[in-house]
């Protein structure tokens, strides 16, 4: 698997690959979809995984940057709301029930 493919599997979009020849980002083009990132080992569902450049607008009307991949928290623990920052990982119970 190439590095660009590995980076493209990052659900949050925090990892990006850049073409070293032209400096352009190498970004997958997923279809519009919203799902859960499942963690069977922990028996829980974690962040919402938003793919395909779906626009995100906060309750206060703030429009966020449109991205192909992002993860949104629903546990209330993230200090970067509405985005997931991994803070839920420290909680062994998590927020959600079994996968």
């Amino acid at each position: 698997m190439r590095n660009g493919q590995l980076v493209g599997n990052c659900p949050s979009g925090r990892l990006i690959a850049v073409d070293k020849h032209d400096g352009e980002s190498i970004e997958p083009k997923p279809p519009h979809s919203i799902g859960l990132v499942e963690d069977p080992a922990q028996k829980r569902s974690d962040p919402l995984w938003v793919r395909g450049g779906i626009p995100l607008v906060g309750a206060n009307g703030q429009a966020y940057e449109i991205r192909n991949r992002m993860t949104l928290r629903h546990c209330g623990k993230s200090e970067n709301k509405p985005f997931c920052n991994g803070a839920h990982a420290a909680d062994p119970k998590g927020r959600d029930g079994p996968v």
Side-chain angles (χ1 to χ4, degrees):
M1 188 180 279
R2 296 183 0 224
N3 288 340
Q5 290 172 314
L6 289 171
V7 168
N9 288 331
C10 170
S12 70
R14 292 180 71 184
L15 300 176
I16 61 167
V18 176
D19 186 306
K20 62 183 172 182
H21 299 292
D22 63 16
E24 294 290 319
S25 66
I26 302 168
E27 185 66 26
K29 304 278 190 247
H32 291 148
S33 62
I34 300 174
L36 286 171
V37 175
E38 303 286 353
D39 188 345
Q42 296 294 319
K43 296 186 173 145
R44 66 182 189 198
S45 300
D46 281 320
L48 292 172
W49 187 10
V50 181
R51 298 172 288 245
I54 296 174
L56 177 65
V57 179
N60 64 358
Q62 176 185 353
Y64 292 91
E65 173 188 11
I66 295 175
R67 301 194 57 145
N68 281 330
R69 300 168 286 137
M70 59 184 147
T71 51
L72 305 176
R73 276 313 300 152
H74 48 99
C75 69
K77 293 176 176 54
S78 176
E79 293 185 20
N80 188 26
K81 293 175 184 142
F83 303 100
C84 178
N85 70 352
H88 63 278
D91 182 354
K93 294 181 184 177
R95 175 187 179 276
D96 301 323
V99 174

